[in-house]
Amino acid sequence: IASIIGVVHGFVFMMIEPALGSSRLKRGLGFSFLIWALMALYFEFHVPFNMFHEPIALVGLELFIWVFVALTEGLVLSFIYGQSRDGTA
């Protein structure tokens, strides 16, 4: 499942890459924020907090850890993808 999600994230990155910024770092950070906000933030408040009634401090710790996961994925995708299609990077 994780590799399927990674492939889907790669296709999403490919489609929105020109709008993320001109440098690899800006694109990676932008996509990292997008992953964190749309995936991790939603999941952590929907399942662990609402359904399992985890304490907010634990949810906060999990969201903090997700920051590093999202940063790794966003930056790796950006650096693997290479130069921006808009021609400015």
Side-chain angles (χ1 to χ4, degrees), residues 35-73:
I35 290 171
W36 185 82
L38 294 180
M39 186 184 73
L41 194 60
Y42 168 77
F43 171 78
E44 288 299 330
F45 279 105
H46 178 66
V47 178
F49 184 72
N50 286 333
M51 296 175 73
F52 299 150
H53 305 292
E54 281 188 358
I56 194 72
L58 182 58
V59 172
L61 175 64
E62 292 167 353
L63 285 171
F64 178 71
I65 293 169
W66 271 111
V67 166
F68 297 103
V69 173
L71 278 172
T72 301
E73 184 178 0

Side-chain angles (χ1 to χ4, degrees), residues 2-53:
S3 26
I4 293 170
I5 292 172
V7 169
V8 169
H9 284 174
F11 282 123
V12 170
F13 180 83
M14 183 181 67
M15 289 187 282
I16 66 170
E17 175 267 329
L20 291 173
S22 58
S23 73
R24 290 178 181 165
L25 182 61
K26 285 182 183 178
R27 289 192 324 248
L29 292 175
F31 193 65
S32 297
F33 177 75
L34 191 67
I35 290 171
W36 185 82
L38 294 180
M39 186 184 73
L41 194 60
Y42 168 77
F43 171 78
E44 288 299 330
F45 279 105
H46 178 66
V47 178
F49 184 72
N50 286 333
M51 296 175 73
F52 299 150
H53 305 292

